[in-house]
């Protein structure tokens, strides 16, 4: 009851916040079925009603290159919109693509704004919509059937990856700030990502029409209905491109993935794992920031590395241009502490400089359900501040209440530590109750004890025997962070974080120990010097 009430209250607060974030309905694209033409010297923009799957009408726009004449065709790029955004989302980038010789079709995803249907969360109707829009574009625009690409941000990224598994006509995909594994994105560590799910649910209600299945799922998810867990997992897997990677590989689709280290909706680990399983042409880019902040300036038409590389990717695999993007190191990352890019042959090479292990010696005993002050920040805000002003969430490590937080610290490092990849925790937990949640945080601690958040991750267990120890292996969210010389690393564990739903019964306690035969530790991957 306590968890359900907390979730409902948090969702209500997020809904109120979303009122200020969601685009106003008055800004929706024109609804007329006649093409409303506007033109300039560089390209033509027309708004259309586009037939989607199952008789649904999708509101869309088409931008064609200047001087597009009869008999000449151009490569086609289809851009579904992000969650809660209208068809005008990509106009700035679509114009640039059209000016460089593409037919670009963007449409409001079904269930949102003035498009028909209900929100299906990348379900079969959404995937069928992509195919229907391609069919319409081939019949109604000077699009080339042999040169078709898909792209988009967030929700659109998830849809386009799934569509590429089902439609062999798609030759190239650029999926930015999206998901390949929906379960791992919002239920990692078997923990509900409360703020992420609450924001998505609230925005869906504000800007669209959630379908019956989504309404039921949101209620079960935020209400911690464990009896429905298996059904929720199956629902998420059906909407995960990671479950259909073999079909994408069989189609030979060229896939570019981009995400931010601090994405609080779709964390980076699941993209990296998906990337490693792709066998066709592929590229992976990680940058500082939060959800869609790495691409955000590009949507305004400003210079943007992500969109620049997206155009290069399409130019290479839709136009055949030898622009060098396929000869560069396919994994490109930017550290949160440095402005330059680092190139790697694959994801495994990112942390190829070895690992540093922080021993978690002794035994730490915590009382649950009280926030110690350590936390992962605020959805969409904290990692954006880290991106633009390098101010991640901070905490005074010496002042953390040891009744509610376990703390282990390394020695001071003589030289810098360049953390790259996925930090891994191994520990032994003994609970006093059968259910529980804890969150592990890794901090960069300076001379005055102020810890800057490097990475974190939640972990939840159910049905354990009270008083019986069990082992835990937890991957923290992947990152690239440079720890200055003279600093130390600290692992902090507590049981409450506003980003997540916690499952600690009243009066629950947790003990973290390090058995002699199975010592607890944190493995920190480092960049090769």
């Amino acid at each position: 009851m306590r968890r359900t009430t907390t979730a409902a209250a948090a969702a209500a607060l997020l809904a109120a916040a979303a009122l200020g974030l969601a685009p106003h309905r008055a800004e929706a694209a024109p609804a007329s079925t006649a093409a409303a033409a506007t033109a300039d010297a560089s390209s033509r923009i027309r708004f259309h009603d586009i037939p989607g799957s199952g008789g649904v009408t999708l509101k869309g726009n088409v931008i064609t290159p200047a001087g597009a004449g009869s008999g000449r065709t151009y490569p086609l790029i289809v851009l579904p919109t992000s969650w809660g955004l209208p068809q005008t989302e990509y106009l700035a980038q679509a114009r640039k693509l059209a000016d460089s010789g593409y037919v670009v079709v963007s449409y409001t995803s079904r269930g949102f704004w003035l498009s028909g249907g209900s929100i299906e969360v990348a379900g079969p109707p959404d995937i069928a919509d992509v195919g229907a829009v391609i069919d319409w574009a081939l019949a109604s625009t000077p699009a080339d059937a042999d040169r078709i690409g898909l792209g988009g941000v967030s929700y659109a990224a998830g849809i386009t990856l799934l569509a590429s598994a089902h439609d062999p006509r798609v030759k190239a995909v650029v999926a930015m700030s999206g998901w390949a594994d929906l379960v791992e994105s919002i239920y990692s560590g078997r923990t509900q990502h409360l703020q992420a799910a609450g924001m998505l649910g609230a925005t869906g209600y504000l800007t669209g029409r959630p379908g019956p299945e989504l309404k039921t799922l949101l209620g079960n998810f935020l209400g911690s209905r464990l009896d429905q867990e298996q059904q929720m997992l199956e629902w998420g897997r059906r909407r995960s491109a990671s479950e259909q990677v073999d079909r994408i590989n069989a189609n030979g689709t060229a896939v570019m993935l981009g995400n931010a280290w601090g994405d609080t909706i779709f964390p980076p680990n699941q993209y990296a794992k998906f990337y490693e399983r792709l066998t066709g042409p592929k590229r992976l880019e990680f940058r500082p920031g939060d959800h869609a902040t790495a691409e955000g300036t590009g949507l305004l038409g400003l210079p943007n590395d992500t969109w620049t590389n997206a155009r290069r990717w399409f130019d290479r695999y839709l136009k055949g241009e030898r622009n060098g993007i396929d000869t560069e190191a396919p994994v490109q990352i930017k550290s949160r502490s440095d402005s330059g890019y680092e190139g790697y042959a694959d994801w495994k090479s990112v942390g190829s400089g070895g690992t540093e292990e922080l021993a978690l010696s002794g035994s730490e005993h915590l009382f649950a359900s009280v926030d110690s002050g350590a936390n992962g920040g605020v959805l969409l805000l904290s990692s954006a501040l880290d991106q633009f002003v390098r101010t991640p969430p901070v905490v005074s490590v010496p002042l953390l209440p040891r009744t509610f937080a376990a703390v282990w610290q390394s020695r001071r490092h003589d030289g810098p530590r360049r953390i790259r990849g996925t930090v891994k925790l191994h520990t032994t937990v003994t609970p006093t109750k059968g259910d529980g949640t804890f969150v592990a945080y890794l901090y960069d601690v300076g001379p005055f004890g102020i810890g800057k958040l490097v990475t974190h991750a939640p972990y939840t267990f159910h049905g354990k025997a009270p008083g019986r120890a069990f082992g835990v292996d937890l991957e923290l969210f992947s990152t690239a962070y440079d720890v200055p010389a003279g600093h130390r690393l600290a692992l902090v564990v507590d049981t409450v974080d506003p980003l997540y739903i916690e499952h600690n019964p009243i009066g629950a306690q947790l003990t973290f120990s390090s058995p002699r035969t199975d010592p607890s530790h944190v493995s920190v991957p480092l960049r090769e010097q």
Side-chain angles (χ1 to χ4, degrees):
M1 181 67 177
R2 174 171 55 86
R3 291 195 299 270
T4 304
T5 303
T6 301
L13 289 172
L14 286 165
L19 283 169
L21 294 173
H24 194 275
R25 290 187 183 271
E27 297 173 358
S32 62
T33 56
T38 62
D40 68 2
S42 58
S43 56
R44 295 189 302 168
I45 306 173
R46 295 181 181 273
F47 292 93
H48 290 271
D49 284 352
I50 301 175
S53 64
V56 164
T57 297
L58 305 171
K59 296 297 180 178
N61 59 68
V62 179
I63 306 182
T64 55
S70 59
R72 182 180 178 184
T73 59
Y74 302 85
L76 168 68
I77 296 176
V78 176
L79 303 171
T81 58
S82 302
W83 185 273
L85 293 182
Q87 57 166 305
T88 52
E89 175 185 4
Y90 301 111
L91 281 182
Q93 288 300 324
R95 290 292 287 272
K96 292 182 179 183
L97 287 166
D99 288 345
S100 63
Y102 292 94
V103 172
V104 185
V105 178
S106 180
Y107 67 92
T108 304
S109 298
R110 73 162 50 216
F112 290 101
W113 298 101
L114 299 178
S115 282
S118 58
I119 301 173
E120 302 287 346
V121 195
D126 291 297
I127 309 311
D129 283 344
V130 175
V133 171
I134 291 174
D135 292 341
W136 178 86
L138 293 176
S140 307
T141 75
D144 187 338
D146 294 323
R147 297 183 291 169
I148 298 173
L150 305 177
V153 177
S154 185
Y155 187 47
I159 290 175
T160 55
L161 284 175
L162 285 162
S164 72
H166 291 270
D167 196 329
R169 295 177 297 179
V170 177
K171 299 298 188 286
V173 171
V174 176
M176 297 170 275
S177 290
W179 79 88
D181 187 330
L182 189 57
V183 175
E184 185 65 19
S185 293
I186 61 173
Y187 196 50
S188 68
R190 206 180 176 186
T191 308
Q192 297 105 315
H193 293 211
L194 171 62
Q195 290 187 17
M199 187 279 290
L200 292 171
T203 306
Y205 276 97
L206 288 167
T207 64
R209 299 167 299 282
E213 190 177 33
L214 176 56
K215 291 178 181 178
T216 300
L217 182 121
L218 277 172
N220 291 339
F221 186 80
L222 293 173
S224 301
R225 289 284 306 276
L226 283 178
D227 60 318
Q228 297 297 313
E229 183 181 38
Q230 190 58 41
Q231 289 87 334
M232 289 187 281
L233 291 174
E234 292 172 358
W235 181 90
R237 290 175 185 137
R238 289 194 298 270
R239 288 158 170 79
S240 297
S242 59
E243 298 290 317
Q244 302 184 43
V245 67
D246 290 343
R247 298 182 67 166
I248 297 174
N249 290 336
N251 291 338
T253 313
V255 178
M256 173 178 156
L257 305 168
N259 205 353
W261 295 119
D263 195 319
T264 45
I265 297 180
F266 304 129
N269 301 46
Q270 45 94 29
Y271 247 20
K273 293 174 183 177
F274 176 70
Y275 169 84
E276 286 290 85
R277 295 175 61 200
L278 293 170
T279 58
K282 59 183 180 178
R283 183 178 176 92
L284 176 67
E285 299 182 352
F286 283 142
R287 300 176 176 85
D290 207 313
H291 185 66
T293 61
E295 304 86 27
T297 56
L299 293 175
L300 301 175
L302 300 174
N304 181 276
D305 290 351
T306 307
W307 282 101
T308 296
N309 288 338
R311 289 196 297 276
R312 294 175 65 213
W313 192 255
F314 285 134
D315 288 346
R316 175 66 187 91
Y317 292 103
L318 296 184
K319 291 183 178 180
E321 292 184 3
R322 298 289 180 177
N323 55 19
I325 195 167
D326 57 329
T327 62
E328 297 171 357
V331 175
Q332 294 285 325
I333 70 171
K334 182 183 284 190
S335 167
R336 291 163 50 198
S337 314
D338 184 80
S339 58
Y341 282 93
E342 301 167 9
Y344 298 89
D346 50 36
W347 176 247
K348 296 187 297 292
S349 300
V350 171
S352 59
T355 59
E356 178 173 325
E357 288 202 356
L358 170 60
L360 308 181
S361 57
S363 180
E364 295 284 343
H365 186 79
L366 305 182
F367 287 88
S369 303
V370 177
D371 192 343
S372 71
N375 64 71
V378 178
L379 182 86
L380 301 180
L381 176 62
S382 297
S383 293
L385 290 174
D386 185 35
Q387 174 187 357
F388 295 112
V389 295
R390 295 187 181 176
T391 307
V394 299
V395 70
S396 175
V397 174
L399 297 181
L400 287 170
R402 296 311 198 262
T403 305
F404 309 116
V407 180
W408 296 267
Q409 295 194 73
S410 72
R411 60 177 177 81
R412 294 189 187 278
H413 295 118
D414 296 332
R417 295 292 188 274
R418 295 180 173 87
I419 300 173
R420 299 291 185 272
T422 306
V423 175
K424 297 179 181 180
L425 166 66
H426 175 74
T427 190
T428 297
V429 181
T430 305
T432 61
K433 306 286 185 179
D435 302 329
T437 297
F438 68 85
V439 186
Y441 310 88
L442 186 69
Y443 285 100
D444 160 24
V445 184
F448 300 104
I450 300 301
K452 295 183 177 181
L453 185 64
V454 177
T455 181
H456 78 285
Y459 183 88
T460 293
F461 59 89
H462 297 288
K464 297 295 184 180
R468 180 174 298 178
F470 63 93
V472 170
D473 288 290
L474 176 63
E475 291 189 349
L476 279 60
F477 300 136
S478 301
T479 193
Y481 184 96
D482 299 332
V483 181
H487 288 210
R488 65 179 72 196
L489 291 173
L491 182 81
V492 175
V493 176
D494 75 358
T495 60
V496 176
D497 190 309
L499 286 171
Y500 310 108
I501 292 179
E502 53 101 358
H503 293 264
N504 297 297
I506 294 174
Q509 302 172 42
L510 300 175
T511 299
F512 295 85
S513 58
S514 183
R516 182 178 57 83
T517 57
D518 186 21
S520 297
H521 61 273
V522 173
S523 297
V524 181
L526 302 176
R527 173 187 172 184
E528 186 174 1
Q529 299 301 314

